Amino acid sequence: MIAAVLTQTLSSCARAATAEEARYRIDRPIAPSRAGRVVALDPGAAEILRRTAQHPWANARFYSCQPAGAGSEEVVLRGIDGGSATLADELASASVVVMVATSDAGAACANTLGKACWERGIQTAGLVLGDGTQVGTAASAAVTALRPHARVLLPSSDEADVVDLLTALRV
């Protein structure tokens, strides 16, 4: 009788913590996402990604992005190791693209990447790093370029937020 009254008064959260409900729990770790692409939009962001790439990641690939030429809407992706990659090939197997900026130098790349991801239905996130006062001024063009294309847009002054965001996205 007491057990019946007790289960009726327990909230669903408290009931989920009982030994009886524990048998339904899945104890496997959450699988990493299919494939994350992390792209530095400017030289400052490329330095940050070189350090970030040293962490253990499941399927993440790290690149820097440069416009292919003046007036061109094409971009060139260079791996952190220096190798080149095509945008179409990298996006074909990507489930999430994270764009990192420290200045407005990569605004054109942000726009091109964002549009390409939108056309393919790929989740995007943007991280604009500055010194706290500079996030709104030095990288304003990057923020403007990322805003329409990034589902998550995080202005920050802490480089550790790159690792935290990638961890949260399970790349």
Side-chain angles (χ1 to χ4, degrees):
M1 177 73 165
I2 294 176
V5 171
L6 191 57
T7 56
Q8 288 177 1
T9 60
L10 288 177
S11 70
S12 61
C13 291
R15 211 171 24 254
T18 64
E20 182 181 343
E21 294 294 321
R23 64 185 170 159
Y24 298 108
R25 255 185 231 123
I26 299 171
D27 292 327
R28 290 188 318 202
I30 297 173
S33 69
R34 183 173 43 135
R37 304 296 180 256
V38 188
V39 181
L41 299 177
D42 57 70
E47 283 301 314
I48 291 168
L49 290 190
R50 277 187 191 82
R51 292 187 291 274
T52 303
Q54 300 305 313
H55 293 265
W57 300 108
N59 298 314
R61 293 185 195 162
F62 294 84
Y63 298 96
S64 62
C65 182
Q66 294 112 18
S72 172
E73 286 199 24
E74 298 293 316
V75 295
V76 176
L77 294 179
R78 297 251 181 248
I80 294 298
D81 60 0
S84 62
T86 64
L87 180 60
D89 287 346
E90 289 307 314
L91 294 183
S93 61
S95 57
V96 63
V97 173
V98 178
M99 296 173 272
V100 181
T102 60
S103 72
D104 62 359
C109 284
N111 190 44
T112 300
L113 283 169
K115 283 171 40 178
C117 290
W118 178 79
E119 289 168 354
R120 292 166 174 83
I122 298 170
Q123 178 185 2
T124 57
L127 185 59
V128 180
L129 295 166
D131 67 6
T133 61
Q134 296 297 317
V135 171
T137 56
S140 62
V143 170
T144 301
L146 286 168
R147 187 174 289 132
H149 302 293
R151 285 197 168 164
V152 175
L153 182 57
L154 177 65
S156 176
S157 59
D158 188 358
E159 184 177 320
D161 286 341
V162 177
V163 173
D164 291 344
L165 179 62
L166 297 178
T167 300
L169 292 172
R170 298 182 290 125
V171 298

